[in-house]
Amino acid sequence: MNRKYRKTVIAGNWKMNKTPTETKEFMTAFKAMLPKGRWCDIALCVPAVCIPAAVRAMRETRVGIGAENCNANASGAYTGEIATNMLVDAGCKYVIIGHSERRAMGETDADVNAKVLAALEAGLIPILCCGESLEQRELGITEEFITMQIKCALAGVDEARIRKVVIAYEPIWAFGTGRTATPEQAEDVCESIRSVIRKLYGSKIARATSILYGGSMNEKNAYDLLAQPDIDGGLIGGASLVPEKFLQIVEAANQPTA
Ligand code: PEP
């Protein structure tokens, strides 16, 4: 982390877990535990039906609520989809875009790009996910693959808007598996993502861009991962479902930085 130049962000991704009632229970417990004073930015991205309960519970706290996906179109015949202006109106601040679980359901780089542009247009903070498969890592093409994902996702995003984007590096082989990337492996890729941003937008913007790591981050390994200079926070799945565990990760984000 480097709090001097960029925000530290700890974001939860609940995936398809918790009902609205369970959301209210989680938020009530988590709110009671939140430390006083200004720490890192905290986001909780929850299933669409849980957004109203989450927003209501976290009003007047510094926890921002987010969605796990959006549709790039403003409105129309897209049964079951949710537009970015609907998310804003429901009180969302963030939206996860390009998660590998959605890419596995058919989301393309072009879809991810359209969603990033739509989210920015609506005033949402996109948490843009990228990450290689085990096969790609073993072939030694991690950097090329991620560079391509980032360049595609950010096509048409201008200098004024890139400042709003949070990037999350999530190696596919490391999440939901309990198999975390080592702090060095995660740092290497986050550093190379920063250099892609540097080439695209210049060093000032690269230095100010928050790049998160996601992949079995938990209350035990968070401290070491967050101690890396180019890892500015975490996107957390499983460990964000338990208030005590999520809080411990937030606490790890409060460690002193160089
Ligand atoms: C995720 O799905 O974004 C994630 C990082 O999951 P987990 O923390 O459970 O590996």
Side-chain angles (χ1 to χ4, degrees):
M1 293 182 294
N2 187 329
R3 278 196 289 265
K4 189 168 163 205
Y5 294 114
R6 45 196 180 256
K7 285 183 177 175
T8 303
V9 183
I10 298 296
N13 172 19
W14 278 7
K15 312 191 186 198
M16 199 171 72
N17 291 295
K18 295 198 191 289
T19 62
T21 304
E22 290 165 343
T23 301
K24 192 174 167 197
E25 286 162 9
F26 175 102
M27 297 296 168
T28 307
F30 187 59
K31 201 165 143 178
M33 292 173 191
L34 272 176
K36 302 265 175 296
R38 172 117 199 116
W39 285 23
C40 60
D41 287 9
I42 306 171
L44 276 163
C45 300
V46 303
V49 292
C50 300
I51 290 169
V55 168
R56 214 174 302 124
M58 286 304 174
R59 207 169 278 147
E60 284 158 28
T61 72
R62 62 176 184 284
V63 179
I65 301 305
E68 299 175 8
N69 183 33
C70 63
N71 188 289
N73 296 286
S75 62
Y78 303 100
T79 303
E81 292 292 288
I82 302 177
T84 52
N85 67 332
M86 297 174 186
L87 297 176
V88 172
D89 194 61
C92 283
K93 183 172 172 193
Y94 299 89
V95 58
I96 297 174
I97 296 177
H99 193 282
S100 61
E101 287 160 11
R102 297 219 57 91
R103 292 182 192 256
M105 290 177 220
E107 192 169 86
T108 64
D109 285 317
D111 295 331
V112 171
N113 177 233
K115 290 181 184 193
V116 168
L117 293 170
L120 289 168
E121 181 67 28
L124 289 164
I125 299 176
I127 302 180
L128 165 64
C129 301
C130 59
E132 82 287 8
S133 65
L134 186 57
E135 194 186 1
Q136 288 158 339
R137 175 158 283 263
E138 286 174 351
L139 283 169
I141 56 166
T142 299
E143 204 176 313
E144 289 90 330
F145 181 73
I146 286 176
T147 300
M148 189 253 334
Q149 278 189 324
I150 296 288
K151 283 187 174 171
C152 291
L154 296 180
V157 175
D158 61 22
E159 279 193 21
R161 288 194 165 166
I162 183 66
R163 292 174 186 278
K164 280 272 184 192
V165 178
V166 171
I167 297 175
Y169 166 54
E170 297 209 309
I172 298 169
W173 49 270
F175 66 81
T177 59
R179 197 177 151 182
T180 327
T182 64
E184 295 72 26
Q185 284 172 322
E187 167 62 19
D188 274 358
V189 181
C190 289
E191 202 278 328
S192 84
I193 293 171
R194 200 175 304 289
S195 83
V196 175
I197 301 295
R198 192 175 301 116
K199 280 179 201 133
L200 292 174
Y201 298 98
S203 39
K204 206 164 157 207
I205 288 175
R207 200 170 61 182
T209 302
S210 298
I211 303 175
L212 320 184
Y213 167 77
S216 299
M217 190 188 267
N218 58 38
E219 68 289 1
K220 296 191 186 81
N221 58 31
Y223 193 93
D224 289 342
L225 286 160
L226 295 170
Q228 300 298 315
D230 288 289
I231 301 181
D232 304 308
L235 181 56
I236 297 121
S240 71
L241 294 168
V242 181
E244 292 79 5
K245 291 187 181 183
F246 193 55
L247 180 75
Q248 283 181 54
I249 300 174
V250 170
E251 286 172 342
N254 198 40
Q255 61 185 278
T257 60

